[in-house]
PDB file of all heavy atoms in Angstrom:
ATOM      1  N   ARG A 129     -42.559 106.651 224.706  1.00  0.00           N
ATOM      2  CA  ARG A 129     -41.913 107.940 224.352  1.00  0.00           C
ATOM      3  C   ARG A 129     -41.299 108.666 225.505  1.00  0.00           C
ATOM      4  O   ARG A 129     -42.072 109.201 226.374  1.00  0.00           O
ATOM      5  CB  ARG A 129     -43.101 108.788 223.658  1.00  0.00           C
ATOM      6  CG  ARG A 129     -43.459 108.291 222.362  1.00  0.00           C
ATOM      7  CD  ARG A 129     -44.269 109.358 221.692  1.00  0.00           C
ATOM      8  NE  ARG A 129     -44.510 109.193 220.305  1.00  0.00           N
ATOM      9  CZ  ARG A 129     -43.697 109.278 219.393  1.00  0.00           C
ATOM     10  NH1 ARG A 129     -42.366 109.357 219.618  1.00  0.00           N
ATOM     11  NH2 ARG A 129     -43.949 109.240 218.070  1.00  0.00           N
ATOM     12  N   GLY A 130     -40.095 108.816 225.520  1.00  0.00           N
ATOM     13  CA  GLY A 130     -39.360 109.684 226.459  1.00  0.00           C
ATOM     14  C   GLY A 130     -39.233 109.032 227.866  1.00  0.00           C
ATOM     15  O   GLY A 130     -38.705 109.729 228.666  1.00  0.00           O
ATOM     16  N   GLY A 131     -39.648 107.806 228.054  1.00  0.00           N
ATOM     17  CA  GLY A 131     -39.461 107.126 229.386  1.00  0.00           C
ATOM     18  C   GLY A 131     -38.101 106.517 229.574  1.00  0.00           C
ATOM     19  O   GLY A 131     -37.198 106.704 228.750  1.00  0.00           O
ATOM     20  N   PRO A 132     -37.924 105.767 230.617  1.00  0.00           N
ATOM     21  CA  PRO A 132     -36.693 105.253 230.975  1.00  0.00           C
ATOM     22  C   PRO A 132     -36.303 104.119 230.091  1.00  0.00           C
ATOM     23  O   PRO A 132     -35.123 103.812 229.889  1.00  0.00           O
ATOM     24  CB  PRO A 132     -36.757 104.735 232.379  1.00  0.00           C
ATOM     25  CG  PRO A 132     -38.282 104.579 232.630  1.00  0.00           C
ATOM     26  CD  PRO A 132     -39.007 105.651 231.686  1.00  0.00           C
ATOM     27  N   THR A 133     -37.224 103.492 229.344  1.00  0.00           N
ATOM     28  CA  THR A 133     -36.776 102.419 228.446  1.00  0.00           C
ATOM     29  C   THR A 133     -36.758 102.849 226.968  1.00  0.00           C
ATOM     30  O   THR A 133     -36.621 101.911 226.142  1.00  0.00           O
ATOM     31  CB  THR A 133     -37.894 101.274 228.583  1.00  0.00           C
ATOM     32  OG1 THR A 133     -39.147 101.781 228.163  1.00  0.00           O
ATOM     33  CG2 THR A 133     -38.028 100.671 229.987  1.00  0.00           C
ATOM     34  N   THR A 134     -36.766 104.024 226.788  1.00  0.00           N
ATOM     35  CA  THR A 134     -36.630 104.647 225.381  1.00  0.00           C
ATOM     36  C   THR A 134     -35.282 104.237 224.938  1.00  0.00           C
ATOM     37  O   THR A 134     -34.291 104.684 225.552  1.00  0.00           O
ATOM     38  CB  THR A 134     -36.988 106.102 225.301  1.00  0.00           C
ATOM     39  OG1 THR A 134     -38.240 106.289 225.795  1.00  0.00           O
ATOM     40  CG2 THR A 134     -36.834 106.661 223.904  1.00  0.00           C
ATOM     41  N   PRO A 135     -35.084 103.795 223.695  1.00  0.00           N
ATOM     42  CA  PRO A 135     -33.874 103.583 223.047  1.00  0.00           C
ATOM     43  C   PRO A 135     -33.111 104.980 222.878  1.00  0.00           C
ATOM     44  O   PRO A 135     -33.771 106.002 222.619  1.00  0.00           O
ATOM     45  CB  PRO A 135     -34.093 102.937 221.701  1.00  0.00           C
ATOM     46  CG  PRO A 135     -35.526 102.424 221.856  1.00  0.00           C
ATOM     47  CD  PRO A 135     -36.227 103.359 222.831  1.00  0.00           C
ATOM     48  N   GLY A 136     -31.833 104.856 222.723  1.00  0.00           N
ATOM     49  CA  GLY A 136     -31.039 106.145 222.448  1.00  0.00           C
ATOM     50  C   GLY A 136     -30.201 105.716 221.212  1.00  0.00           C
ATOM     51  O   GLY A 136     -29.755 104.597 221.106  1.00  0.00           O
ATOM     52  N   ALA A 137     -29.786 106.695 220.585  1.00  0.00           N
ATOM     53  CA  ALA A 137     -28.888 106.488 219.370  1.00  0.00           C
ATOM     54  C   ALA A 137     -27.977 107.717 219.224  1.00  0.00           C
ATOM     55  O   ALA A 137     -28.402 108.844 219.430  1.00  0.00           O
ATOM     56  CB  ALA A 137     -29.826 106.291 218.136  1.00  0.00           C
ATOM     57  N   THR A 138     -26.803 107.382 218.669  1.00  0.00           N
ATOM     58  CA  THR A 138     -25.921 108.386 218.102  1.00  0.00           C
ATOM     59  C   THR A 138     -25.527 108.030 216.747  1.00  0.00           C
ATOM     60  O   THR A 138     -25.463 106.765 216.436  1.00  0.00           O
ATOM     61  CB  THR A 138     -24.665 108.565 218.999  1.00  0.00           C
ATOM     62  OG1 THR A 138     -24.037 107.266 219.067  1.00  0.00           O
ATOM     63  CG2 THR A 138     -25.011 109.044 220.442  1.00  0.00           C
ATOM     64  N   ALA A 139     -25.195 108.986 215.863  1.00  0.00           N
ATOM     65  CA  ALA A 139     -24.824 108.690 214.490  1.00  0.00           C
ATOM     66  C   ALA A 139     -23.565 109.496 214.163  1.00  0.00           C
ATOM     67  O   ALA A 139     -23.374 110.667 214.570  1.00  0.00           O
ATOM     68  CB  ALA A 139     -25.952 108.953 213.615  1.00  0.00           C
ATOM     69  N   ALA A 140     -22.794 108.933 213.298  1.00  0.00           N
ATOM     70  CA  ALA A 140     -21.616 109.602 212.718  1.00  0.00           C
ATOM     71  C   ALA A 140     -21.677 109.422 211.116  1.00  0.00           C
ATOM     72  O   ALA A 140     -21.559 108.307 210.670  1.00  0.00           O
ATOM     73  CB  ALA A 140     -20.286 109.101 213.240  1.00  0.00           C
ATOM     74  N   VAL A 141     -21.961 110.559 210.460  1.00  0.00           N
ATOM     75  CA  VAL A 141     -22.064 110.560 208.968  1.00  0.00           C
ATOM     76  C   VAL A 141     -20.847 110.982 208.317  1.00  0.00           C
ATOM     77  O   VAL A 141     -20.410 112.117 208.672  1.00  0.00           O
ATOM     78  CB  VAL A 141     -23.315 111.364 208.480  1.00  0.00           C
ATOM     79  CG1 VAL A 141     -23.457 111.293 207.016  1.00  0.00           C
ATOM     80  CG2 VAL A 141     -24.620 110.910 209.155  1.00  0.00           C
ATOM     81  N   ARG A 142     -20.339 110.162 207.493  1.00  0.00           N
ATOM     82  CA  ARG A 142     -19.046 110.621 206.833  1.00  0.00           C
ATOM     83  C   ARG A 142     -19.160 109.952 205.347  1.00  0.00           C
ATOM     84  O   ARG A 142     -19.364 108.808 205.087  1.00  0.00           O
ATOM     85  CB  ARG A 142     -17.810 109.927 207.436  1.00  0.00           C
ATOM     86  CG  ARG A 142     -17.540 110.371 208.892  1.00  0.00           C
ATOM     87  CD  ARG A 142     -17.144 111.797 208.936  1.00  0.00           C
ATOM     88  NE  ARG A 142     -17.049 112.254 210.365  1.00  0.00           N
ATOM     89  CZ  ARG A 142     -17.987 112.772 211.071  1.00  0.00           C
ATOM     90  NH1 ARG A 142     -19.166 112.927 210.652  1.00  0.00           N
ATOM     91  NH2 ARG A 142     -17.747 113.083 212.347  1.00  0.00           N
ATOM     92  N   ALA A 143     -18.961 110.937 204.374  1.00  0.00           N
ATOM     93  CA  ALA A 143     -18.872 110.517 202.903  1.00  0.00           C
ATOM     94  C   ALA A 143     -19.951 109.510 202.465  1.00  0.00           C
ATOM     95  O   ALA A 143     -19.709 108.512 201.891  1.00  0.00           O
ATOM     96  CB  ALA A 143     -17.527 109.909 202.682  1.00  0.00           C
ATOM     97  N   GLY A 144     -21.226 109.795 202.793  1.00  0.00           N
ATOM     98  CA  GLY A 144     -22.390 108.935 202.274  1.00  0.00           C
ATOM     99  C   GLY A 144     -22.521 107.721 203.103  1.00  0.00           C
ATOM    100  O   GLY A 144     -23.287 106.848 202.692  1.00  0.00           O
ATOM    101  N   SER A 145     -21.854 107.587 204.189  1.00  0.00           N
ATOM    102  CA  SER A 145     -21.992 106.346 205.023  1.00  0.00           C
ATOM    103  C   SER A 145     -22.228 106.779 206.495  1.00  0.00           C
ATOM    104  O   SER A 145     -21.797 107.813 206.803  1.00  0.00           O
ATOM    105  CB  SER A 145     -20.668 105.497 204.906  1.00  0.00           C
ATOM    106  OG  SER A 145     -20.817 104.298 205.815  1.00  0.00           O
ATOM    107  N   VAL A 146     -22.872 105.914 207.220  1.00  0.00           N
ATOM    108  CA  VAL A 146     -23.242 106.295 208.677  1.00  0.00           C
ATOM    109  C   VAL A 146     -22.700 105.188 209.555  1.00  0.00           C
ATOM    110  O   VAL A 146     -23.013 103.980 209.181  1.00  0.00           O
ATOM    111  CB  VAL A 146     -24.716 106.721 208.800  1.00  0.00           C
ATOM    112  CG1 VAL A 146     -25.621 105.487 208.351  1.00  0.00           C
ATOM    113  CG2 VAL A 146     -24.982 107.174 210.093  1.00  0.00           C
ATOM    114  N   ARG A 147     -22.255 105.490 210.785  1.00  0.00           N
ATOM    115  CA  ARG A 147     -22.076 104.537 211.776  1.00  0.00           C
ATOM    116  C   ARG A 147     -23.061 104.833 212.900  1.00  0.00           C
ATOM    117  O   ARG A 147     -23.109 106.051 213.272  1.00  0.00           O
ATOM    118  CB  ARG A 147     -20.642 104.659 212.382  1.00  0.00           C
ATOM    119  CG  ARG A 147     -19.625 104.036 211.484  1.00  0.00           C
ATOM    120  CD  ARG A 147     -18.259 103.973 212.104  1.00  0.00           C
ATOM    121  NE  ARG A 147     -18.044 104.649 213.260  1.00  0.00           N
ATOM    122  CZ  ARG A 147     -17.205 105.675 213.396  1.00  0.00           C
ATOM    123  NH1 ARG A 147     -16.336 106.162 212.586  1.00  0.00           N
ATOM    124  NH2 ARG A 147     -17.121 106.390 214.605  1.00  0.00           N
ATOM    125  N   LEU A 148     -23.787 103.791 213.349  1.00  0.00           N
ATOM    126  CA  LEU A 148     -24.802 104.047 214.406  1.00  0.00           C
ATOM    127  C   LEU A 148     -24.407 103.262 215.677  1.00  0.00           C
ATOM    128  O   LEU A 148     -23.786 102.259 215.679  1.00  0.00           O
ATOM    129  CB  LEU A 148     -26.150 103.544 213.939  1.00  0.00           C
ATOM    130  CG  LEU A 148     -26.836 104.127 212.758  1.00  0.00           C
ATOM    131  CD1 LEU A 148     -28.039 103.368 212.282  1.00  0.00           C
ATOM    132  CD2 LEU A 148     -27.203 105.609 212.970  1.00  0.00           C
ATOM    133  N   HIS A 149     -24.809 104.023 216.812  1.00  0.00           N
ATOM    134  CA  HIS A 149     -24.698 103.275 218.038  1.00  0.00           C
ATOM    135  C   HIS A 149     -25.987 103.379 218.787  1.00  0.00           C
ATOM    136  O   HIS A 149     -26.632 104.558 218.905  1.00  0.00           O
ATOM    137  CB  HIS A 149     -23.462 104.002 218.930  1.00  0.00           C
ATOM    138  CG  HIS A 149     -23.558 103.222 220.449  1.00  0.00           C
ATOM    139  ND1 HIS A 149     -22.771 102.153 220.555  1.00  0.00           N
ATOM    140  CD2 HIS A 149     -24.119 103.619 221.482  1.00  0.00           C
ATOM    141  CE1 HIS A 149     -22.901 101.797 221.827  1.00  0.00           C
ATOM    142  NE2 HIS A 149     -23.797 102.541 222.479  1.00  0.00           N
ATOM    143  N   LEU A 150     -26.638 102.205 219.142  1.00  0.00           N
ATOM    144  CA  LEU A 150     -27.904 102.148 219.713  1.00  0.00           C
ATOM    145  C   LEU A 150     -27.762 101.667 221.186  1.00  0.00           C
ATOM    146  O   LEU A 150     -26.926 100.842 221.491  1.00  0.00           O
ATOM    147  CB  LEU A 150     -28.789 101.194 219.045  1.00  0.00           C
ATOM    148  CG  LEU A 150     -28.929 101.456 217.564  1.00  0.00           C
ATOM    149  CD1 LEU A 150     -29.807 100.229 216.972  1.00  0.00           C
ATOM    150  CD2 LEU A 150     -29.728 102.741 217.317  1.00  0.00           C
ATOM    151  N   ALA A 151     -28.546 102.259 222.188  1.00  0.00           N
ATOM    152  CA  ALA A 151     -28.527 101.698 223.521  1.00  0.00           C
ATOM    153  C   ALA A 151     -30.038 101.552 223.901  1.00  0.00           C
ATOM    154  O   ALA A 151     -30.803 102.483 223.631  1.00  0.00           O
ATOM    155  CB  ALA A 151     -27.864 102.778 224.424  1.00  0.00           C
ATOM    156  N   LEU A 152     -30.337 100.303 224.371  1.00  0.00           N
ATOM    157  CA  LEU A 152     -31.798 100.043 224.545  1.00  0.00           C
ATOM    158  C   LEU A 152     -31.831  98.961 225.742  1.00  0.00           C
ATOM    159  O   LEU A 152     -30.970  98.362 226.013  1.00  0.00           O
ATOM    160  CB  LEU A 152     -32.523  99.615 223.362  1.00  0.00           C
ATOM    161  CG  LEU A 152     -31.906  98.521 222.502  1.00  0.00           C
ATOM    162  CD1 LEU A 152     -32.345  97.171 222.881  1.00  0.00           C
ATOM    163  CD2 LEU A 152     -32.303  98.810 221.084  1.00  0.00           C
ATOM    164  N   ASP A 153     -33.068  98.792 226.184  1.00  0.00           N
ATOM    165  CA  ASP A 153     -33.443  97.789 227.193  1.00  0.00           C
ATOM    166  C   ASP A 153     -34.124  96.696 226.500  1.00  0.00           C
ATOM    167  O   ASP A 153     -34.844  96.925 225.487  1.00  0.00           O
ATOM    168  CB  ASP A 153     -34.455  98.386 228.197  1.00  0.00           C
ATOM    169  CG  ASP A 153     -33.749  99.613 229.014  1.00  0.00           C
ATOM    170  OD1 ASP A 153     -32.549  99.700 229.045  1.00  0.00           O
ATOM    171  OD2 ASP A 153     -34.514 100.383 229.664  1.00  0.00           O
ATOM    172  N   LEU A 154     -33.979  95.452 227.065  1.00  0.00           N
ATOM    173  CA  LEU A 154     -34.627  94.344 226.493  1.00  0.00           C
ATOM    174  C   LEU A 154     -35.379  93.553 227.739  1.00  0.00           C
ATOM    175  O   LEU A 154     -34.928  93.736 228.845  1.00  0.00           O
ATOM    176  CB  LEU A 154     -33.610  93.341 225.876  1.00  0.00           C
ATOM    177  CG  LEU A 154     -32.922  93.831 224.675  1.00  0.00           C
ATOM    178  CD1 LEU A 154     -31.994  92.809 224.151  1.00  0.00           C
ATOM    179  CD2 LEU A 154     -33.907  94.033 223.575  1.00  0.00           C
ATOM    180  N   PRO A 155     -36.360  92.912 227.283  1.00  0.00           N
ATOM    181  CA  PRO A 155     -37.150  92.163 228.358  1.00  0.00           C
ATOM    182  C   PRO A 155     -36.348  90.961 228.786  1.00  0.00           C
ATOM    183  O   PRO A 155     -35.571  90.426 228.056  1.00  0.00           O
ATOM    184  CB  PRO A 155     -38.448  91.657 227.657  1.00  0.00           C
ATOM    185  CG  PRO A 155     -38.063  91.668 226.198  1.00  0.00           C
ATOM    186  CD  PRO A 155     -37.069  92.674 225.950  1.00  0.00           C
ATOM    187  N   TYR A 156     -36.630  90.545 230.070  1.00  0.00           N
ATOM    188  CA  TYR A 156     -35.957  89.336 230.601  1.00  0.00           C
ATOM    189  C   TYR A 156     -37.062  88.267 230.867  1.00  0.00           C
ATOM    190  O   TYR A 156     -38.079  88.654 231.375  1.00  0.00           O
ATOM    191  CB  TYR A 156     -35.240  89.676 231.948  1.00  0.00           C
ATOM    192  CG  TYR A 156     -34.717  88.431 232.542  1.00  0.00           C
ATOM    193  CD1 TYR A 156     -33.499  87.928 232.067  1.00  0.00           C
ATOM    194  CD2 TYR A 156     -35.395  87.733 233.527  1.00  0.00           C
ATOM    195  CE1 TYR A 156     -32.942  86.797 232.603  1.00  0.00           C
ATOM    196  CE2 TYR A 156     -34.842  86.545 234.112  1.00  0.00           C
ATOM    197  CZ  TYR A 156     -33.655  86.043 233.634  1.00  0.00           C
ATOM    198  OH  TYR A 156     -33.104  84.921 234.176  1.00  0.00           O
ATOM    199  N   PRO A 157     -36.998  87.151 230.424  1.00  0.00           N
ATOM    200  CA  PRO A 157     -35.878  86.522 229.538  1.00  0.00           C
ATOM    201  C   PRO A 157     -36.094  86.797 228.080  1.00  0.00           C
ATOM    202  O   PRO A 157     -37.228  86.923 227.642  1.00  0.00           O
ATOM    203  CB  PRO A 157     -36.019  85.027 229.945  1.00  0.00           C
ATOM    204  CG  PRO A 157     -37.442  84.881 230.145  1.00  0.00           C
ATOM    205  CD  PRO A 157     -37.984  86.193 230.797  1.00  0.00           C
ATOM    206  N   THR A 158     -35.033  86.776 227.389  1.00  0.00           N
ATOM    207  CA  THR A 158     -35.060  86.920 225.908  1.00  0.00           C
ATOM    208  C   THR A 158     -33.737  86.333 225.289  1.00  0.00           C
ATOM    209  O   THR A 158     -32.739  86.134 225.995  1.00  0.00           O
ATOM    210  CB  THR A 158     -35.136  88.346 225.533  1.00  0.00           C
ATOM    211  OG1 THR A 158     -35.528  88.426 224.196  1.00  0.00           O
ATOM    212  CG2 THR A 158     -33.926  89.198 225.793  1.00  0.00           C
ATOM    213  N   ASP A 159     -33.802  85.930 224.097  1.00  0.00           N
ATOM    214  CA  ASP A 159     -32.708  85.478 223.345  1.00  0.00           C
ATOM    215  C   ASP A 159     -31.858  86.674 222.818  1.00  0.00           C
ATOM    216  O   ASP A 159     -32.175  87.221 221.876  1.00  0.00           O
ATOM    217  CB  ASP A 159     -33.120  84.583 222.164  1.00  0.00           C
ATOM    218  CG  ASP A 159     -32.001  83.991 221.403  1.00  0.00           C
ATOM    219  OD1 ASP A 159     -30.737  84.318 221.786  1.00  0.00           O
ATOM    220  OD2 ASP A 159     -32.330  83.266 220.392  1.00  0.00           O
ATOM    221  N   ILE A 160     -31.009  87.186 223.701  1.00  0.00           N
ATOM    222  CA  ILE A 160     -30.280  88.455 223.326  1.00  0.00           C
ATOM    223  C   ILE A 160     -29.703  88.504 222.083  1.00  0.00           C
ATOM    224  O   ILE A 160     -29.893  89.442 221.298  1.00  0.00           O
ATOM    225  CB  ILE A 160     -29.366  88.765 224.618  1.00  0.00           C
ATOM    226  CG1 ILE A 160     -30.178  89.003 225.840  1.00  0.00           C
ATOM    227  CG2 ILE A 160     -28.557  90.092 224.213  1.00  0.00           C
ATOM    228  CD1 ILE A 160     -29.308  89.152 227.131  1.00  0.00           C
ATOM    229  N   PRO A 161     -28.756  87.663 221.709  1.00  0.00           N
ATOM    230  CA  PRO A 161     -28.083  87.707 220.377  1.00  0.00           C
ATOM    231  C   PRO A 161     -29.046  87.697 219.223  1.00  0.00           C
ATOM    232  O   PRO A 161     -28.929  88.519 218.331  1.00  0.00           O
ATOM    233  CB  PRO A 161     -27.248  86.509 220.359  1.00  0.00           C
ATOM    234  CG  PRO A 161     -27.030  86.019 221.654  1.00  0.00           C
ATOM    235  CD  PRO A 161     -28.286  86.414 222.459  1.00  0.00           C
ATOM    236  N   HIS A 162     -30.161  86.853 219.258  1.00  0.00           N
ATOM    237  CA  HIS A 162     -31.018  86.786 218.111  1.00  0.00           C
ATOM    238  C   HIS A 162     -31.893  88.163 218.001  1.00  0.00           C
ATOM    239  O   HIS A 162     -32.011  88.691 216.967  1.00  0.00           O
ATOM    240  CB  HIS A 162     -32.032  85.650 218.405  1.00  0.00           C
ATOM    241  CG  HIS A 162     -32.948  85.430 217.221  1.00  0.00           C
ATOM    242  ND1 HIS A 162     -34.263  85.907 217.332  1.00  0.00           N
ATOM    243  CD2 HIS A 162     -32.857  84.940 216.045  1.00  0.00           C
ATOM    244  CE1 HIS A 162     -35.015  85.617 216.264  1.00  0.00           C
ATOM    245  NE2 HIS A 162     -34.056  84.918 215.459  1.00  0.00           N
ATOM    246  N   VAL A 163     -32.350  88.543 219.180  1.00  0.00           N
ATOM    247  CA  VAL A 163     -33.215  89.806 219.195  1.00  0.00           C
ATOM    248  C   VAL A 163     -32.313  91.037 218.784  1.00  0.00           C
ATOM    249  O   VAL A 163     -32.751  91.848 217.959  1.00  0.00           O
ATOM    250  CB  VAL A 163     -33.838  90.072 220.498  1.00  0.00           C
ATOM    251  CG1 VAL A 163     -34.364  91.441 220.644  1.00  0.00           C
ATOM    252  CG2 VAL A 163     -34.847  89.085 220.777  1.00  0.00           C
ATOM    253  N   CYS A 164     -31.028  91.103 219.295  1.00  0.00           N
ATOM    254  CA  CYS A 164     -30.170  92.233 218.906  1.00  0.00           C
ATOM    255  C   CYS A 164     -29.897  92.204 217.426  1.00  0.00           C
ATOM    256  O   CYS A 164     -29.823  93.335 216.820  1.00  0.00           O
ATOM    257  CB  CYS A 164     -28.920  92.140 219.719  1.00  0.00           C
ATOM    258  SG  CYS A 164     -29.117  92.683 221.415  1.00  0.00           S
ATOM    259  N   GLU A 165     -29.662  91.085 216.726  1.00  0.00           N
ATOM    260  CA  GLU A 165     -29.337  91.065 215.368  1.00  0.00           C
ATOM    261  C   GLU A 165     -30.509  91.489 214.584  1.00  0.00           C
ATOM    262  O   GLU A 165     -30.429  92.309 213.524  1.00  0.00           O
ATOM    263  CB  GLU A 165     -28.874  89.606 215.037  1.00  0.00           C
ATOM    264  CG  GLU A 165     -28.516  89.562 213.566  1.00  0.00           C
ATOM    265  CD  GLU A 165     -27.475  90.542 212.949  1.00  0.00           C
ATOM    266  OE1 GLU A 165     -26.547  90.768 213.892  1.00  0.00           O
ATOM    267  OE2 GLU A 165     -27.646  90.986 211.925  1.00  0.00           O
ATOM    268  N   ARG A 166     -31.677  91.128 214.909  1.00  0.00           N
ATOM    269  CA  ARG A 166     -32.957  91.468 214.251  1.00  0.00           C
ATOM    270  C   ARG A 166     -33.140  92.941 214.415  1.00  0.00           C
ATOM    271  O   ARG A 166     -33.501  93.727 213.361  1.00  0.00           O
ATOM    272  CB  ARG A 166     -34.120  90.722 214.642  1.00  0.00           C
ATOM    273  CG  ARG A 166     -33.861  89.220 214.338  1.00  0.00           C
ATOM    274  CD  ARG A 166     -35.027  88.358 214.377  1.00  0.00           C
ATOM    275  NE  ARG A 166     -36.068  88.700 213.365  1.00  0.00           N
ATOM    276  CZ  ARG A 166     -37.121  88.002 213.244  1.00  0.00           C
ATOM    277  NH1 ARG A 166     -37.350  86.937 213.929  1.00  0.00           N
ATOM    278  NH2 ARG A 166     -37.994  88.381 212.250  1.00  0.00           N
ATOM    279  N   ILE A 167     -33.011  93.555 215.583  1.00  0.00           N
ATOM    280  CA  ILE A 167     -33.116  94.958 215.854  1.00  0.00           C
ATOM    281  C   ILE A 167     -32.101  95.730 215.068  1.00  0.00           C
ATOM    282  O   ILE A 167     -32.364  96.695 214.283  1.00  0.00           O
ATOM    283  CB  ILE A 167     -33.075  95.308 217.213  1.00  0.00           C
ATOM    284  CG1 ILE A 167     -34.322  94.800 218.038  1.00  0.00           C
ATOM    285  CG2 ILE A 167     -32.867  96.867 217.496  1.00  0.00           C
ATOM    286  CD1 ILE A 167     -34.264  94.943 219.535  1.00  0.00           C
ATOM    287  N   ARG A 168     -30.855  95.265 215.018  1.00  0.00           N
ATOM    288  CA  ARG A 168     -29.718  95.897 214.293  1.00  0.00           C
ATOM    289  C   ARG A 168     -30.150  95.901 212.782  1.00  0.00           C
ATOM    290  O   ARG A 168     -29.990  96.965 212.153  1.00  0.00           O
ATOM    291  CB  ARG A 168     -28.451  95.102 214.467  1.00  0.00           C
ATOM    292  CG  ARG A 168     -27.085  95.693 214.052  1.00  0.00           C
ATOM    293  CD  ARG A 168     -26.009  94.860 214.340  1.00  0.00           C
ATOM    294  NE  ARG A 168     -25.701  94.926 215.763  1.00  0.00           N
ATOM    295  CZ  ARG A 168     -25.495  93.739 216.460  1.00  0.00           C
ATOM    296  NH1 ARG A 168     -25.631  92.595 215.987  1.00  0.00           N
ATOM    297  NH2 ARG A 168     -25.185  93.854 217.757  1.00  0.00           N
TER     298      ARG A 168
END
């Protein structure tokens, strides 16, 4: 909570729909595409 590895998010809500942008840290090593898709 509130540390340097805390994810960040922005949102844009328009007409009942939302676009999200997430920024986060991942552990090394990791399967980046697989983990990102599951988080998404």
Side-chain angles (χ1 to χ4, degrees):
R129 290 192 164 295
T133 61
T134 299
T138 58
V141 180
R142 302 289 177 268
S145 179
V146 62
R147 285 189 348 240
L148 298 172
H149 179 83
L150 306 172
L152 50 89
D153 298 344
L154 292 178
Y156 177 81
T158 192
D159 181 0
I160 295 172
H162 182 263
V163 169
C164 287
E165 181 55 36
R166 295 193 69 176
I167 289 172
R168 193 178 289 129

